[in-house]
Amino acid sequence: MSDVKQQVKTFLEKCEEVKSCKFIMATTKIRDLLKVIVNSSELYSLFRKVCENFNYTEAKRKYLITVSNSVINKSYVVLPEILGERLAFIFCLLADFDNDSLNFNSFLQCYYTEDGSYFSSYHAFCDQIIVSLQQIIAEVYKDEIVSGFVSEGSEILPIQEENTVKSTANPQLAQKIQEIISIISKEKEILLSSSISDLEKKAGIIMLDELVSSVKNRNMSQISALSSGYNYFSLYNNCVSENLAFLIQTLSIYRSFL
């Protein structure tokens, strides 16, 4: 574990170097950051996993956005909500800069126009891309990721049917709640059939049960915290499913009814 911690510490330090360096050194620092990933068995394994079956070409069409009107074109970057997909997207983007498949200077001037200077554009890029990368890795590898949820030797919780929905005058909202409950029930089945440890399964089930309760009670702060927590949990345990992407998308629609 100490070796893993050192690998992660080195990676986070390199992120800081990217953020704090002069613009003229940016691509060199990005290359150094990628080298840390390649030379770290733990991080290389993580990034290899999230990049499996990741369609980078499609992701660029989806997340590199240009809006046109009769006066001006505005381009900007949107990061994926699913953390595994976000890591894969950022990694591929940085790799493109490193091999010059995507010119870094041109990219900044297109998607991070700011005040027109490379200095401001670079800092805006770092605030979105590098900070997000740094935060995800720091969260994924924080100590005792399931601390406070379970203890060793605990039995796996059975899948519980959650069908009681708080009374609501909005039939669309009620339907959406039932849909979320159904998606979460499927996520539990996927989790329990995965190869992760019983301890980790228990932690995931607890988070999903709490998420169901929060959805039924329409507690937005808890929903945000739990969905984010489970997102990190899935990434850490390499058990991200397509069902999770559907759950996050449905939760986003659910929020619009409140």
Side-chain angles (χ1 to χ4, degrees):
M1 178 59 73
S2 59
D3 184 51
V4 172
K5 288 183 178 179
Q6 184 57 51
Q7 292 174 39
V8 173
K9 179 182 177 182
T10 300
F11 176 84
L12 297 178
E13 288 172 350
K14 289 298 180 182
C15 286
E16 287 296 330
E17 290 182 15
V18 174
K19 288 159 53 182
S20 61
C21 76
K22 294 181 179 180
F23 169 72
I24 195 172
M25 293 295 296
T27 52
T28 299
K29 293 300 182 180
I30 288 173
R31 182 175 296 112
D32 290 344
L33 181 61
L34 292 173
K35 286 180 180 177
V36 170
I37 295 174
V38 172
N39 293 327
S40 164
S41 57
E42 180 70 24
L43 293 174
Y44 182 78
S45 176
L46 173 65
F47 280 93
R48 182 181 63 183
K49 179 68 177 179
V50 298
C51 287
E52 285 179 2
N53 303 316
F54 176 67
N55 189 332
Y56 180 49
T57 301
E58 178 62 28
K60 285 192 289 186
R61 285 197 291 266
K62 187 175 181 181
Y63 300 118
L64 301 181
I65 298 171
T66 298
V67 179
S68 302
N69 58 38
S70 58
V71 180
I72 193 171
N73 293 337
K74 172 65 176 177
S75 298
Y76 57 94
V77 179
V78 174
L79 293 178
E81 286 192 65
I82 301 298
L83 298 180
E85 186 179 356
R86 186 182 301 180
L87 279 183
F89 179 67
I90 292 175
F91 176 81
C92 291
L93 200 60
L94 296 181
D96 264 0
F97 299 145
D98 181 42
N99 60 37
D100 208 29
S101 296
L102 190 59
N103 183 270
F104 187 57
N105 293 2
S106 299
F107 181 85
L108 291 182
Q109 289 296 285
C110 178
Y111 294 100
Y112 296 93
T113 52
E114 304 307 306
D115 62 5
S117 71
Y118 281 118
F119 177 84
S120 297
S121 296
Y122 180 61
H123 280 280
F125 164 83
C126 288
D127 286 345
Q128 182 185 30
I129 303 297
I130 304 302
V131 168
S132 182
L133 176 64
Q134 195 174 24
Q135 288 176 338
I136 293 173
I137 295 301
E139 182 68 19
V140 166
Y141 289 100
K142 71 178 183 180
D143 292 337
E144 301 175 349
I145 192 168
V146 294
S147 177
F149 285 100
V150 292
S151 59
E152 289 286 356
S154 300
E155 297 179 359
I156 299 176
L157 291 178
I159 297 177
Q160 301 175 7
E161 296 298 326
E162 299 280 0
N163 293 318
T164 304
V165 179
K166 186 176 179 179
S167 176
T168 176
N170 187 336
Q172 288 182 308
L173 176 58
Q175 182 180 2
K176 191 57 62 178
I177 292 174
Q178 290 290 0
E179 183 179 350
I180 291 171
I181 291 171
S182 177
I183 296 170
I184 291 176
S185 179
K186 182 178 180 180
E187 185 65 23
K188 291 180 184 179
E189 294 175 2
I190 293 171
L191 181 61
L192 290 177
S193 65
S194 71
S195 60
I196 66 175
S197 70
D198 288 354
L199 180 65
E200 303 288 6
K201 289 177 181 178
K202 173 88 179 267
I205 294 296
I206 289 175
M207 280 190 276
L208 290 172
D209 282 339
E210 289 295 325
L211 181 56
V212 167
S213 297
S214 298
V215 167
K216 292 196 298 183
N217 291 323
R218 303 198 280 280
N219 187 325
M220 284 308 306
S221 61
Q222 286 191 351
I223 290 170
S224 296
L226 288 164
S227 60
S228 176
Y230 189 76
N231 204 343
Y232 278 110
F233 168 87
S234 299
L235 176 60
Y236 179 82
N237 287 288
N238 288 330
C239 58
V240 178
S241 66
E242 291 184 4
N243 189 70
L244 176 57
F246 186 40
L247 173 60
I248 290 177
Q249 180 183 22
T250 307
L251 285 171
S252 179
I253 297 172
Y254 161 84
R255 292 186 183 99
S256 68
F257 288 106
L258 300 180

